[in-house]
Structure formats: C-alpha cells, structure tokens
Amino acid sequence: MMTTTTSHSGGSTGESKPSARVPLCDRRTLKEQYGVTEEFGFASESPLTELPEYFKPWNDIALNLQQLMEERRVRDEVENLPLLDHNKLGSSAEWEAAHMFLAYITQAYVWQDGDEGIPEVLPEAVAVPYHAVSGHLGIPASMTYFDNALVNWKWKDEEQRHCGPENLETVLTLAGGREEQWFFLVSVMIEAECGPALCAIVDAQQAVFDGDDTKLEEALIVIEGAVLKMVKQFKRMGDGLTPETFHNLISPTISGSEAPAFRAKGLTGLIYEGVSDEPLVLRGSSGITNSILPSLDAALGINHRRSDVVHLGDFAECMPGKHAAFVSAVARGPSIRNYVESLPGSNVQVNYIKCLKAVQFFRDFHLQVVTRYAIIPSKKPIQSTRKYTGTGVKDLVFLKGMRDNTIRARFDKSTSPKSNRKSPQTTGHKPGNGVILATVGICAVAILLYHKFERVSLSQAE
C-alpha cells in the first residue's frame, strides 16, 4: 500500500517511505511522561503550598523557617519532631512538596548558627523520610534546584495566571527575605519562557524525521525566540537582588555538606541518623543543575568534551527522573544537527545557527551573573550575624567550558560539508568530525540519564 510522505521542501512526493522508529518524544505525552508543559517548562504546574494534615509537624516548621532562623530555634523544633511515615504521602505533588519541605528544614537545621555551629548529625525524624522521599523521586537527599525553583512557587492571583514577579511568590524562604524570593522566582520565570522551546524541540525532531524543512525552520524560530526571552528574564535578576544579600545570606544557606565550612571544621560530611553511620557528602543547590540547557544541548547537538560529560553526569543526578528521561530521549532522537549540516546556506541552517547564538548569549550572561554575584563578592568578607564561608567559584570553569562548546558547535566554511543533502534515515550520510564529537558527548550523557530514569522508575514501582 502506498503512503504519502512529506518531501524535503514541504510538499508531497506520493512515494512510499520505509518504516523507521518514530521520534522518542511525543507532544501529546510530554506532561505525563516527562513532566514538561508549554506554559511552565520543567516547573510544576501547580505545586502544593502545604502537606496533608498528618504531616502538620513538617508544615509548622517549614512554613515558618525565616522566623525560626532569626530566633535560632530551628534545632529545638526539629529535635522535637516525631518520626512520621513517609509512605502516607499520596500524589506525586505530595512527594515533591515533601522533598522541598524536608530540604528546607535540613538547610535551616545545618546553617542556623553559621559555620561554627554546623552539626555532625541530622536527626532521624528528618533524615529517614528525607532519604526515602529522595529515593522515590530520584534526586539527592540534599537541597537542589528542584526544591528552590521547580516546586517552590505559588500564584498571588491564580485567576491572572501571569508568570511575572508581581504575581508570584515562593512557598518557602530561608533567610534572605524578599530578595531570596526574587532570586528563585527569576528561575521560575525562565522556566516558563523555556516551555515553548521544549515543545518546539519535539516538533523539530519530528520535522527531521519527516524531512519537512518548513516545519523544522518554524520550530527553530520558536526555540531561538524562547531562549532570547529566557535571557530577558535572567536580566531581571538585578532588579530585586543585590550581590551582598546573595553572598552573605542566600549562597551559604543553600550549600550542601561538601561546602568548605564542613572541611574547615574537620567534618567529611553530614551523618543522616537512621540512614547511614558514615557522613554523606552532598552538593547544595545550584541553577547549573537545571534541565533546560542539557535539553537544548541534546537537541542542537552541542558537543561536550569528556571532562564536561563527567560533570554533566554529576549534575544529572540532581534532575528529577522524568526530566532526565526527557533529555535522554531528545539525545537519542533524530539528529537536528546532522540534518541541518547537510543544508549549507539554507534558511534552516541560518535559523539553526541563530539558535546556537541564542544559547551562547544565555551562557554569556550566566557567566556575567556568576561574576557579579559570586566572584566579586567572594573577595570581600561576608557580612552576617553568623559566620559563613563562601562557596567559591568552582563551577565557573565548567560554565566557561559550556559556553565555549556552544561556540564550537557553530558551522563555518571549513566544517560545513559540500556534499548534497541526504535523508536523515540514509545510512550513507557521513557527518563531519564536529557532529561525531557531539554525538559521542551527547550519547554518553543520554546513557547516564537513561540509567538514572530506570532506577527512579523501579524505585517508584516498589
């Protein structure tokens, strides 16, 4: 039976098309399968603002953390907590909120008295459910970007549904007040702007599969526009956050047990009572562990060197299982870069390069933010009623590498192939060295993310 297919120019050929696997991502199942929506990106559509009545002891502490931190009463409250049964959590939203609540309680418990008061042990009433909930979600028992941004927001006026700072606020706050809220709400706004790009990635891979240049060009235009809007939101950071507040209050209190302050006190990590007799060494929260840029890298075929892939694997452990699965699926889907590389001088290639430039622009600005909020303030003493040690600039080199890798992904006359275009399903197509390197890096990350997703799926099925 003859089937009608779409030609490279967007018309119909009337010729039969050999069967082949369809793209791994389907727009219709993005929300259910990967936790991705066009309106909010990877952020939760409707995070919970409190847990069910059974978990009221957690609510009472978490929803009053800023005051408890100021009065230095967090530890007293935590040490009087009963050991609650985490298995009484029901919906996915409850498990996600539980992780956020326990993450914030843990951070407040650890950093209440600054560097000098770091405890050696996290009490069982927090440690046991925290570890169990983390295993269920597939993320560390440590504060992550997931806790700060993806589920830590609520509407001021839900009827408006305007994702701007005037209509958003965080559910939980530690020590930085409104400036801390602003810091994390900017991330929520960036996620919202990213949503259309994530959906367009799926459309672009479908267009590559179909050989439809028109649809591919349209999708690439959406991706570029969304990334530029992400940069616009990122640039609002300075409207509500000063480097001093970030350096003195926010950065120290979201640090993990790998922070220099632990080593300075002779501690190798934090013991989770009832979980492990040995200290656990876990990283703290960082926007660098979000799933947005790995998704764009996977879609656009941006090459990452072996050393960078190792870091990406570490960061992947901080991604929720569904989000890791999305990045992995995109990386294993039809290659946009392979297809575009065989179209020198075309509008499709022009728009692909615009996407790369937009991602580079985002990474350039990220470096500026890190310099302003981490590098420069780190050269000054921290001004706080509690003594904190700065977290340093260990991620700066990695960020520069990511930016440079994005620049290298752009075509030039020496790397653009001169051969005629071939179908993406044609096995005779031989990509350039840049594509081969990109594929190696992306496939390595895809494997890491796939195995992570498998572990999470098994955990949730038990």
Side-chain angles (χ1 to χ4, degrees), residues 143-219:
M143 179 172 277
T144 68
Y145 175 81
F146 170 82
D147 304 298
N148 296 139
L150 300 187
V151 295
N152 189 25
W153 70 273
K154 60 183 179 179
W155 299 111
K156 289 182 179 178
D157 183 353
E158 187 170 0
E159 291 185 1
Q160 289 187 22
R161 293 187 73 82
H162 170 59
C163 200
E166 64 282 353
N167 195 38
L168 296 175
E169 57 187 344
T170 59
V171 178
L172 303 180
T173 307
L174 276 171
R178 181 57 189 171
E179 288 190 71
E180 179 184 325
Q181 289 199 40
W182 185 270
F183 176 62
F184 294 122
L185 290 176
V186 167
S187 295
V188 176
M189 294 186 289
I190 290 173
E191 288 286 341
E193 297 293 6
C194 176
L198 299 177
C199 294
I201 286 172
V202 178
D203 295 339
Q205 289 193 322
Q206 182 68 56
V208 168
F209 180 80
D210 294 336
D212 191 330
D213 293 2
T214 300
K215 294 291 186 182
L216 178 56
E217 184 178 351
E218 291 172 354

Side-chain angles (χ1 to χ4, degrees), residues 61 73-82 109 119 121 123 125-126:
I61 296 178
R73 294 195 295 114
V74 177
R75 290 186 187 163
D76 292 339
E77 296 293 329
V78 169
E79 286 161 7
N80 288 320
L81 273 177
Y109 184 87
V121 179
V126 173

Side-chain angles (χ1 to χ4, degrees), residues 244-266:
E244 292 74 23
T245 297
F246 178 80
H247 184 59
N248 294 330
L249 291 176
I250 300 173
S251 180
T253 54
I254 63 175
S255 298
S257 54
E258 67 169 6
F262 276 80
R263 296 193 297 273
K265 197 177 176 182

Side-chain angles (χ1 to χ4, degrees), residues 258-260 263 283-284 311 375 391-399:
E258 67 169 6
R263 296 193 297 273
R283 68 177 294 127
H311 287 295
I375 306 295
T391 56
V393 294
K394 60 185 178 182
D395 291 332
L396 186 64
V397 173
F398 173 77
L399 288 173

Side-chain angles (χ1 to χ4, degrees), residues 10 36 57 106 133 153 200 230 232 248 317 335 344 350 363 394:
V36 171
T106 297
V133 171
W153 70 273
M230 286 162 52
K232 185 176 180 180
N248 294 330
E317 290 300 316
S335 173
V350 168
R363 286 181 157 138
K394 60 185 178 182

